[in-house]
Amino acid sequence: MKEIIENIERTVKDRLKKEGTGHDWHHIERVRRTAVNLAKKYTCSQSVVELSALLHDVIDEKLSDDIRMSTEEVAALLEREGLDQSSISDILAVITSISFKGGNREKVSSIEAQIVQDADRLDAMGAIGIARVFSYGGSKGSLIHDPDIPVRSSMTEKEYRSDRSTSINHFYEKLLKLKDLMNTEEGRVLALQRHQFMVAYLKQFYLEWEGPGRNS
């Protein structure tokens, strides 16, 4: 299993080495590290957790066509590495179910999916999450902030992906919701710390945006 994990790691690292929207190899490695640590606290398949963490973004539609893989390609990759069909099915079930997609997804059921989803969501929070939201927004041509563009309170997956918004709005449309969407107790503890950091950041952001004497 160690060799399989190392081979998958090399494949994913090579595939994402030029990714520039915040879903790069360093994001994968952080999610993998968090997921592996969370998995130690629960009864689960450690290998499914680690491999799912490594592969969780390669099928994501946010990636460019030359980077993204289909679920069939992921399955074929794991088969070539000699992984058993049961584990392959479990991994595919994880990576196809954990994306946020505007908050419209059903709650994941397996402990492996819960762990990887928590790890992925934690990387969208806190200092790293703040850096990533502006990186992704910039790559898509989104404004940092525009008070005239309202926060979307309810949206379909298509609207979440394609409608006009801003990086600051994304805090309210996704990032600040994640604290209450965590699956594991350990994830909730970590999420609270990062949530509080984001709240403090937004308070400072608005102070600087308004500027001294704006209301005087």
Side-chain angles (χ1 to χ4, degrees):
M1 184 55 67
K2 181 181 178 181
E3 183 178 354
I4 292 175
I5 291 173
E6 289 175 348
N7 289 342
I8 297 300
E9 177 184 329
R10 281 193 292 270
T11 298
V12 174
K13 188 174 184 178
D14 182 67
R15 201 167 192 91
L16 297 180
K17 61 185 177 184
K18 294 183 179 179
E19 210 287 323
T21 72
H23 300 84
D24 55 16
W25 164 250
H26 299 291
H27 162 65
I28 299 296
E29 175 59 17
R30 289 191 303 270
V31 172
R32 189 256 290 267
R33 191 163 55 241
T34 300
V36 167
N37 286 333
L38 285 175
K40 294 175 182 177
K41 303 177 185 296
Y42 299 93
T43 302
C44 63
S45 170
Q46 304 275 337
S47 59
V48 167
V49 166
E50 186 164 7
L51 287 168
S52 297
L54 285 169
L55 292 162
H56 81 276
D57 262 350
V58 296
I59 63 169
D60 198 302
E61 61 189 28
K62 292 188 291 293
L63 300 182
S64 59
D65 292 340
D66 60 323
I67 296 177
R68 187 171 60 249
M69 298 174 70
S70 67
T71 54
E72 292 78 13
E73 288 174 320
V74 172
L77 171 63
L78 294 170
E79 287 174 1
R80 288 196 299 273
E81 291 297 331
L83 200 65
D84 63 275
Q85 286 300 318
S86 177
S87 294
I88 292 174
S89 296
D90 289 344
I91 291 166
L92 292 180
V94 173
I95 68 175
T96 57
S97 66
I98 67 170
S99 180
F100 182 72
K101 293 187 182 297
N104 296 304
R105 299 299 292 267
E106 293 183 4
K107 189 174 180 66
V108 295
S109 55
S110 75
I111 184 61
E112 290 83 6
Q114 291 175 5
I115 288 169
V116 177
Q117 187 176 67
D118 278 5
D120 188 34
R121 288 177 170 177
L122 283 165
D123 206 59
M125 302 177 72
I128 292 291
I130 291 170
R132 290 182 66 219
V133 74
F134 290 116
S135 176
Y136 183 77
S139 75
K140 299 301 180 182
S142 298
L143 297 174
I144 291 175
H145 181 45
D146 183 343
D148 294 328
I149 299 177
V151 173
R152 299 169 295 177
S153 59
S154 178
M155 62 198 123
T156 65
E157 179 184 337
K158 182 178 180 181
E159 290 169 339
Y160 174 68
R161 294 294 188 208
S162 59
D163 282 5
R164 186 178 182 223
S165 192
T166 69
S167 292
I168 288 296
N169 281 6
H170 194 62
F171 281 84
Y172 302 96
E173 294 168 354
K174 176 182 178 180
L175 306 190
L176 294 176
K177 296 180 178 180
L178 297 179
K179 171 179 67 69
D180 296 324
L181 296 176
M182 303 303 287
N183 302 292
T184 66
E185 183 59 35
E186 184 67 19
R188 283 189 282 273
V189 172
L190 296 172
L192 178 59
Q193 299 168 350
R194 299 186 188 204
H195 179 87
Q196 291 170 338
F197 184 90
M198 293 190 298
V199 170
Y201 170 80
L202 287 169
K203 181 178 180 180
Q204 180 66 26
F205 178 91
Y206 291 124
L207 284 172
E208 296 180 15
W209 183 272
E210 293 295 329
R214 177 69 180 268
N215 297 317
S216 61

